[in-house]
Amino acid sequence: QVQLVESGGGLVQAGGSLRLSCVASGRAFGTYAMGWFRQAPGEEREFVAGISWIGTNTYYTDAVKGRFSISRDASDLVHLEMNDLKPEDTAVYYCASTIYEHCSYGCYSPEDFTSWGHGTQVTVSS
């Protein structure tokens, strides 16, 4: 299985920016898509952004469209650039990967992802 590690979280004021990164310990040959989820205390884990591994089409939840951007770099690190952060964005952010081929076309539920990182805290103050 794939081991994922997130980094880049922190405390920022509303309107600020953060860049999260996710690295896989293995080569993840069976990965068809990766994504970012977030979970606030007392809330369910929710989808934020996804990217297909081949073709790199991206998709986002409506709450972050125009503010967040998911990407993959030359070293296959996956990033989430977060701009114009709002207090409502405060949560633990998790990266995830999936071996399900159908997720090349977009997956939005935690149940569709098969490997998870341990999360990084993002806190946005007013």
Side-chain angles (χ1 to χ4, degrees):
Q1 65 179 11
V2 178
Q3 177 68 54
L4 305 174
V5 180
E6 307 94 337
S7 62
L11 173 64
V12 297
Q13 291 185 322
S17 299
L18 284 174
R19 189 190 193 201
L20 306 183
S21 298
C22 178
V23 61
S25 63
R27 296 178 181 178
F29 293 128
T31 297
Y32 283 89
M34 295 189 69
W36 289 93
F37 290 75
R38 64 188 182 186
Q39 187 169 21
E43 303 288 339
E44 295 184 355
R45 190 166 299 188
E46 66 171 341
F47 170 82
V48 177
I51 183 169
S52 61
W53 208 240
I54 300 176
T56 62
N57 40 300
T58 60
Y59 46 99
Y60 304 87
T61 189
D62 287 343
V64 307
K65 286 181 179 178
R67 299 190 297 120
F68 290 11
S69 179
I70 187 171
S71 63
R72 187 183 74 193
D73 67 20
S75 299
D76 286 339
L77 272 68
V78 175
H79 306 279
L80 184 68
E81 296 184 8
M82 304 184 295
N83 301 306
D84 191 25
L85 283 161
K86 305 177 184 298
E88 304 88 83
D89 297 318
T90 295
V92 177
Y93 283 70
Y94 301 88
C95 72
S97 66
T98 182
I99 63 173
Y100 298 146
E101 184 175 6
H102 71 268
C103 290
S104 295
Y105 303 98
C107 284
Y108 310 92
S109 298
E111 291 76 14
D112 288 317
F113 289 80
T114 53
S115 294
W116 294 86
H118 289 93
T120 185
Q121 176 71 47
V122 172
T123 302
V124 184
S125 62
S126 300

